Amino acid sequence: MRCQRSNALLIASLLLAPLACAAQDTIHVAYAERPPYLLQQADGSPAGLTGTPTTAAFKAAGIPVQWHIVPTNRQLAMIKDPKGLNCTIGWFSVPERQAYAKYTKAIYRDKSWLLLTNAAFAERGITTMAELASQRDIRVLVKDNFSYGGLDKFIHKWHPVVAVSTASTVKMVQSVAKGAVDMMFVSEDEGNYILKNEAGEYAASLRLLQLKDMPRGGDRHIMCSRAVPDEVIARLNKAITFK
């Protein structure tokens, strides 16, 4: 009887061992500085609207983590790696990404979407999404491989003149201010931060417009590769305090 019990305990420990090991594997978390969402701290960890809750969640969950500053397109490549224990911070959950990624609960929710435009475009006096959609000559600047949450379907149906950029947010803002494009979509948090802290000499040429029927901002999540164990996602979800 004692032998049987010992064997049973041995089998149970062997079954649990892979899960325990997986939970202790270091997770590589990539992000790019994007204030006010993500700002790099002295130890490499992120702070900001999405960075601070992510750092806190990994710490509270007791999950070993290594932080990496990585361009956004490279972040997506890391998430698509079927063997890499990789995560990224602050992404929207959209069908295209759900095919290759796992998501935690929301870590932050954006406020309303705004239009960041130059002064000349603002003079058109557009006040609703319908008015915006009726004008096909508008030049819209979008970030390569970014999702704009509830605006994605609207942009697809609208068919404006779209310019795709891989540049930094600061460079994109300068393009708007100089009139190379008419506008870009920004969250309320980001738009206000840009005008106050990043626009510099271009601030006088920029306007933030809130249309009457703009969709609300989307939920932002920690997005991970399929290789990240479900048990790790569950522990992060338990540690995330955002509601």
Side-chain angles (χ1 to χ4, degrees):
M1 179 66 70
R2 182 178 299 175
C3 182
Q4 290 178 343
R5 290 184 60 188
S6 298
N7 287 340
L9 290 173
L10 177 60
I11 292 172
S13 65
L14 289 174
L15 289 173
L16 291 172
L19 183 62
C21 290
Q24 293 307 309
D25 285 340
T26 297
I27 305 297
H28 296 268
V29 181
Y31 68 98
E33 283 202 286
R34 184 189 173 188
Y37 293 109
L38 293 157
L39 303 95
Q40 185 181 26
Q41 301 303 288
D43 64 354
S45 65
L49 298 177
T50 57
T52 296
T54 297
T55 300
F58 274 95
K59 183 176 181 180
I63 298 170
V65 60
Q66 185 170 344
W67 308 104
H68 305 270
I69 297 291
V70 178
T72 52
N73 280 342
R74 176 57 185 157
Q75 291 179 39
L76 288 173
M78 291 172 66
I79 298 303
K80 291 177 181 178
D81 180 357
K83 297 182 180 179
L85 296 177
N86 303 320
C87 294
T88 58
I89 303 171
W91 292 74
F92 294 136
S93 178
V94 296
E96 179 185 354
R97 296 176 190 153
Q98 290 167 3
Y100 58 80
K102 296 180 180 180
Y103 290 88
T104 65
K105 297 193 306 185
I107 54 173
Y108 187 74
R109 183 172 299 112
D110 282 350
K111 298 175 183 176
S112 177
W113 285 102
L114 302 176
L115 309 185
L116 179 65
T117 78
N118 51 54
F121 178 83
E123 290 178 358
R124 295 193 186 193
I126 295 172
T127 60
T128 68
M129 296 288 283
E131 290 176 18
L132 185 66
S134 69
Q135 304 189 46
R136 299 299 178 89
D137 64 324
I138 295 175
R139 298 162 299 168
V140 181
L141 186 60
V142 299
K143 185 81 168 181
D144 188 35
N145 279 321
F146 262 39
S147 167
Y148 291 85
L151 289 169
D152 287 343
K153 291 182 179 179
F154 171 80
I155 296 171
H156 181 72
K157 292 180 179 180
W158 177 18
H159 291 302
V161 179
V162 175
V164 180
S165 175
T166 58
S168 67
T169 300
V170 172
K171 293 293 185 182
M172 292 174 67
V173 169
Q174 291 175 3
S175 293
V176 175
K178 294 176 180 178
V181 293
D182 296 309
M183 54 157 287
M184 56 189 281
F185 291 104
V186 294
S187 69
E188 184 176 338
D189 291 310
E190 188 170 31
N192 288 326
Y193 183 91
I194 287 170
L195 286 187
K196 184 177 180 181
N197 301 284
E198 294 187 339
E201 62 182 291
Y202 297 99
S205 302
L206 295 167
R207 303 288 186 272
L208 278 176
L209 308 180
Q210 184 168 17
L211 306 186
K212 295 177 181 178
D213 47 354
M214 272 287 209
R216 73 173 183 85
D219 289 347
R220 296 185 178 273
H221 307 258
I222 301 171
M223 181 173 68
C224 300
S225 67
R226 289 286 180 179
V228 173
D230 290 341
E231 192 260 352
V232 168
I233 301 295
R235 288 169 62 182
L236 287 171
N237 282 339
K238 187 175 181 181
I240 291 170
T241 58
F242 179 78
K243 296 182 179 179

